[in-house]
Amino acid sequence: MRVPLLVIFILLGASRPALAQGPGAEDWFSSVYSAGGVEVRADGRVFTLFALLNRVGYDAGSRYREHPVPAFRYGPARTRVREALVAASPAVVAQAQAFFDAHPVPVEDYLARLMGGPQASGAARGLDGLEALLARVEAEWPVASLRAETLELYRAEQRAWLPLLDAPLQQAARLLGLPEGKPPLEVVVNLLDAEGSIRRVETGRGWVLVVGPATRRPEMEPVVRELARGVLSSRMGARLESRWTGGAVALREARGAGAGEATVGEYGVALLSRALALMATGAQEAAYEAAGRQGYFGLKALARSFDDPRPVDAWALDGLNRVNPGQALRK
């Protein structure tokens, strides 16, 4: 009997609906596993959604030219899909644009609706009609054949993750003090998004991390960071907002250095998550220094704090109050 070592992270529902019904559909939804039992999969619904997004104007990617017109570099799977859909039915494009105009919410909400269904929470619950729109895309555009054409590219990307997953996720679970079975997490490869992208999606049954194509090879630090951010946000985000006495000053200086968080709670969670991820992935000193230059100060001290035998909730405020952004900026 196979018992995945990291079942606390990976719960893949066998009952999720499949959009692909043609030849190769079964192969498309098969998964690969790391030595410790971590499952990495592709998802036909994500493929169809992002094929549509690319057709209607989603151009985000690695920019290789700024002037006179910005130009972006895409991987072979995304390039093939974009080229194939240039002449796709304009009626579907018009319907999609009208739907997006009526539902101007982040992509993560669209993903949450696909993976969580009509019972998904928040803005995802209001995306009635998305399934019908994607069904029309499937019926009128060559999406199924494009999935078949790019299948081996997806398989190669899935396999590239396998030797990297086990140890960092085990270490993150230990540092966070996660109980067995929490948090449920799925890892989905999406080659139609920007390089290095990671989208954390709340489905109501757990989280899904949708990872874009790797620039050179998959990197675990951002994956662990996003997992930790989800766990710590739910545990203590609101508490840090009201109780981190030096948070406002730290956030102001951090934003001046390039940090993107908007609130004290978000920034405190970002610091803790980055520190944990760097520690769990065995990052070198240069990684801590680079994060400091981006506005994420004091990560080395915070990383050492995770060795505290108490739960992170118990020492987080003390650790954050030792963060000294002014000192970091003067170095």
Side-chain angles (χ1 to χ4, degrees), residues 39-319:
E39 189 168 5
V40 184
R41 66 180 180 89
D43 189 299
R45 300 162 300 175
V46 174
F47 187 101
T48 303
L49 173 64
F50 272 80
L52 175 60
L53 293 176
N54 275 271
R55 175 62 181 85
V56 301
Y58 178 63
D59 296 329
S62 300
R63 187 173 299 193
Y64 70 86
R65 187 185 70 211
E66 184 66 38
H67 303 290
V69 178
F72 303 91
R73 180 177 63 252
Y74 306 127
R78 192 174 178 193
T79 297
R80 173 61 188 133
V81 169
R82 289 172 67 91
E83 290 174 348
L85 296 181
V86 166
S89 167
V92 178
V93 172
Q95 180 182 344
Q97 294 286 23
F99 188 87
F100 298 151
D101 286 343
H103 304 88
V105 297
V107 172
E108 286 78 6
D109 290 313
Y110 281 80
L111 291 168
R113 174 59 182 245
L114 291 183
M115 297 179 179
Q119 68 273 23
S121 61
R125 186 184 294 271
L127 293 176
D128 293 337
L130 177 60
E131 294 84 357
L133 171 62
L134 296 185
R136 186 177 182 187
V137 172
E138 285 281 334
E140 299 187 26
W141 291 3
V143 176
S145 62
L146 288 169
R147 275 198 293 268
E149 288 182 43
T150 58
L151 179 59
E152 285 308 310
L153 293 171
Y154 271 84
R155 285 290 174 264
E157 190 84 1
Q158 288 171 270
R159 288 191 291 268
W161 281 97
L162 298 185
L164 308 177
L165 290 164
D166 294 338
L169 291 180
Q170 289 174 324
Q171 176 76 329
R174 184 186 68 81
L175 294 172
L176 287 167
L178 297 177
E180 185 174 357
K182 303 291 184 180
L185 178 71
E186 301 173 8
V187 179
V188 172
V189 169
N190 176 20
L191 298 185
L192 305 188
D193 204 347
E195 288 182 348
S197 63
I198 300 178
R199 300 182 186 274
R200 178 168 50 88
V201 181
E202 175 57 62
T203 66
R205 299 184 302 272
W207 294 321
V208 177
L209 288 186
V210 182
V211 296
T215 304
R216 295 182 181 84
R217 56 170 282 176
E219 296 182 7
M220 279 302 299
E221 188 274 330
V223 170
V224 176
R225 184 201 314 164
E226 196 61 24
L227 169 65
R229 189 166 70 88
V231 173
L232 295 173
S233 292
S234 61
R235 276 193 194 177
M236 62 179 59
R239 181 150 53 95
L240 294 179
E241 190 71 37
S242 61
R243 295 179 57 190
W244 182 14
T245 56
V249 173
L251 175 62
R252 183 168 62 250
E253 297 199 37
R255 287 181 61 82
E261 285 72 28
T263 70
V264 168
E266 289 173 357
Y267 181 60
V269 167
L271 286 178
L272 292 164
S273 301
R274 283 175 177 264
L276 180 145
L278 290 171
M279 185 177 184
T281 55
Q284 300 299 307
E285 186 70 28
Y288 290 90
E289 295 174 355
R293 291 192 295 271
Q294 297 166 4
Y296 299 98
F297 311 118
L299 297 186
K300 194 72 173 179
L302 282 177
R304 289 193 295 268
S305 297
F306 278 96
D307 286 330
D308 191 309
R310 296 176 298 165
V312 61
D313 317 48
W315 58 257
L317 281 169
D318 290 341

